[in-house]
């Protein structure tokens, strides 16, 4: 199996961290989505990453589908067995992915529009969602003392992306959230080395 990914992609980081934590060996292939290489668009018509390519089987995308595949491959080690705990982990993952969506919308608005037509009200709206989401996380962090699940990896990927693209703009006033990676790193020591990078 191989995973098409970008070092700066938080969705890729989530899947890469989860696979390593589970001991699932995947060949990680850096992929430039802007170049739209054939291997990417032939395996995901949307041209987005991450994409998990399996020999002789259909490719898997997006990150949530890949995470659930990794859970099945590991005999259910990525999400809790009990329904209520599993739902809790899945909602945490959805929240963190949703905040990440807003952050990427801000980045794309700034990066792909000429400065004179960047729509600040759109950026402000996205940032207000980020603020609400981060404030919620500050007061509702997942328990991180024994086992990691998909929600933990989504949160780690989100914080990695915040540190990469929004350093100095998110941690003030959120001491528990800012300190959380230290707890996570005790169970996943590779976190610092695997965080999203430019």
């Amino acid at each position: 199996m191989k995973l098409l990914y970008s070092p700066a992609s938080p969705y890729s980081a989530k899947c890469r961290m989860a696979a390593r934590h589970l001991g699932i060996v995947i060949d990680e292939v850096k992929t430039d989505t802007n170049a739209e290489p054939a291997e990417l668009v032939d395996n995901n018509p949307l041209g987005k990453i991450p994409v998990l390519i399996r020999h002789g089987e259909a490719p898997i995308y997006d990150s949530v589908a890949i995470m659930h595949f990794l859970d099945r491959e590991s005999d259910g080690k990525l999400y809790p067995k009990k329904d209520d705990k599993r739902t809790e982990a899945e909602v945490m993952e959805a929240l963190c992915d949703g905040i990440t969506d807003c952050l990427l919308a801000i980045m794309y608005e700034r990066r792909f529009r000429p400065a004179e037509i960047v729509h600040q009200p759109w950026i402000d709206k996205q940032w207000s969602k980020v603020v609400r989401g981060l404030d919620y996380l500050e007061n509702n962090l997942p328990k991180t003392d024994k086992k990691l699940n998909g929600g933990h990896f989504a949160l780690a990927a989100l914080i990695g992306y915040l540190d990469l693209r929004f350093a100095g703009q998110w941690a003030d006033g959120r001491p528990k959230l800012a300190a959380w990676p230290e707890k996570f790193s005790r169970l996943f020591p590779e976190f610092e080395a695997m965080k999203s990078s430019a």
Side-chain angles (χ1 to χ4, degrees):
M1 292 189 292
K2 63 180 169 180
L3 185 78
L4 306 186
Y5 83 102
S6 164
S9 163
Y11 309 109
S12 296
K14 176 179 70 169
C15 296
R16 293 169 64 218
M17 288 189 287
R20 289 194 190 187
H21 178 68
L22 296 168
I24 297 174
V25 178
I26 296 174
D27 183 23
E28 299 175 357
V29 180
K30 286 185 188 179
T31 304
D32 179 3
T33 56
N34 292 320
E36 296 188 330
E39 186 172 46
L40 174 62
V41 295
D42 288 350
N43 286 288
N44 181 354
L46 301 174
K48 296 168 71 174
I49 51 167
V51 180
L52 185 65
I53 299 174
R54 303 174 294 160
H55 182 69
E57 297 184 71
I60 302 173
Y61 52 87
D62 63 0
S63 69
V64 174
I66 293 170
M67 293 289 279
H68 287 281
F69 171 79
L70 294 175
D71 183 57
R72 292 188 297 276
E73 284 290 291
S74 65
D75 293 322
K77 291 180 182 170
L78 189 53
Y79 294 91
K81 297 276 192 280
K82 292 183 179 176
D83 288 349
D84 58 338
K85 294 294 184 186
R86 183 178 182 115
T87 298
E88 193 177 290
E90 290 174 344
V91 170
M92 176 60 62
E93 183 176 0
L95 173 61
C96 294
D97 284 356
I99 296 170
T100 301
D101 291 344
C102 296
L103 294 171
L104 284 165
I106 293 170
M107 290 302 302
Y108 292 155
E109 180 71 16
R110 290 176 175 162
R111 182 177 295 162
F112 295 114
R113 283 184 186 268
E116 63 274 11
I117 61 169
V118 166
H119 192 57
Q120 190 60 41
W122 168 255
I123 290 175
D124 294 342
K125 181 168 186 172
Q126 299 308 311
W127 187 249
S128 72
K129 296 178 187 179
V130 170
V131 168
R132 288 198 304 270
L134 296 180
D135 287 346
Y136 178 87
L137 288 169
E138 172 68 15
N139 296 305
N140 298 276
L141 285 170
K143 287 183 181 176
T144 313
D145 50 6
K146 292 179 183 175
K147 286 186 73 175
L148 296 177
N149 61 51
H152 293 111
F153 289 106
L155 178 55
L158 166 62
I159 290 176
Y161 191 72
L162 283 164
D163 284 343
L164 175 66
R165 300 293 190 214
F166 298 86
Q169 300 176 54
W170 70 273
D172 287 352
R174 301 185 184 99
K176 289 183 281 187
L177 184 58
W180 181 81
E182 186 179 336
K183 279 186 178 181
F184 176 74
S185 293
R186 288 182 202 140
L187 296 175
F188 187 72
E190 297 172 79
F191 176 55
E192 280 301 318
M194 289 192 68
K195 284 198 312 188
S196 298
S197 58

